[in-house]
Amino acid sequence: MLKRLWQILGPVICALLLVFIILGSVSVSNKSHSLEVEKKDAVSLSKTGFKSKYKKVRALTDPNHRFVPFFGSSEWLRFDKMHPSVIAEAYNRSYTPYLLGQRGSASLTHFYGIQQINGELKNKQAVYFISPQWFTSKGANAAAFQTYFSSGQAIDFLQSQTGTAYDRYAAKRFLKLYPESSFKDMMEKVAEGKKLSAADKRKLRTQSVVYQKEDAFFSRVSVIDHYDSKVVTQAKKLPNAFSYHCLEKEATAAGKKASSGNTFGIDNGFYDIRIKPRLKDLKNSQRKFNYLKSPEYNDLQLVLNQFAQNNTNVLFVIPPVNSKWSDYTGLNEDMYQKAVEKIKYQLQSQGFKNIADFSRDGDKAYFMQDTIHMGWNGWVAMDKAVNPFLTEKQSKPNYQINKQFLNKKWANYTKEPDSFY
């Protein structure tokens, strides 16, 4: 009987012992810096990379190179010659964008991601790409939120929460989007304004140690290499001497060639696969879209409060939509601009003054790579705002956070923003 039990359980026991030995030997404090590895992490745009605290902290604390968090969503995956990471590499900028975001990631995802790098954002700078398309009636997508969520984010949040209105709101939103999470019980306490018990805190400390060791161990492996295959390759195609005139000329030529197969100025590959088979069905398909009422406004407030707590100086980038495409699909431009104004009011009234607003540039030639994502000339225009913000002396931010932007009344407010209160 013992022999049979050992045959069944022996391999499992040995595997567990091996795991404990490996994790026990992993040091979470020894973050040896390698610029090549960190540059690969900065553009990997993998789920693992986004979830990893170890990778982000390692790059953002490198004493010999400056990585700057670029928060956003699927636009970062558009690696053409003018992509921010490509331009930074080609012209040896004093900073390297650390890209955070993928398709479906929005403010709530970034809020929980920020929990892992609060220390690295204190008195630093960041770029936040904020798309009005995030502000749908239902807000953040639950499946996308769960995809980019890691236990480490919840642990850091729960260990630092102090029972504020922002903590309670963040916990409520978490429970709505991830109700089956193993952190449900603790999140419910935070949502109700209750304190975590001594047992909860002990459990979190243990979970934190295990998570950090797992994270450090698996972070040694880089699976996706966009750096060599896309960034370096594209950077070699740019003019040797930096010049916006030359870059705009290159961008126009590249955009013209890449979008030659359709009348919308959309990249041919995207158009042929995503648009052409459904073109007739998409006619006037966006007539009822409305970005003025959304819980995303409250989720954005979570992020703004976190930036203010960290005294992070942020440049917000607001993109346009492809004008030819929005005309075809019937997207209401007046509604779009009202949503932009609402977003800007929420930013500016609280002291977030650095805004690169491109929302009216959707009709410019080769500004958009597809229907809603910037590319070619759009990236060049963005660089004209980003580069001086990150390389020239900036005045210190003076934030005045207003928690009224955290309530449902603001989320559903459709009148002139400056008459809100």
Side-chain angles (χ1 to χ4, degrees), residues 226-244:
H226 286 152
Y227 177 66
D228 288 319
S229 65
K230 296 185 177 181
V231 175
V232 174
T233 301
Q234 294 281 35
K236 291 178 180 177
K237 298 177 183 178
L238 293 178
N240 291 329
F242 177 78
S243 159
Y244 279 124

Side-chain angles (χ1 to χ4, degrees), residues 10 17 108 131 216 278 292 323 335 369-370 412-413:
L17 285 172
L108 192 65
S131 176
R278 306 170 52 218
L292 285 168
S323 293
M335 176 279 299
Q369 191 188 82
D370 51 47
N412 296 325
Y413 197 75

Side-chain angles (χ1 to χ4, degrees), residues 372-388:
I372 60 173
H373 296 109
M374 285 168 59
W376 304 310
N377 280 320
W379 286 138
V380 178
M382 178 176 157
D383 189 72
K384 290 180 179 179
V386 170
N387 189 45

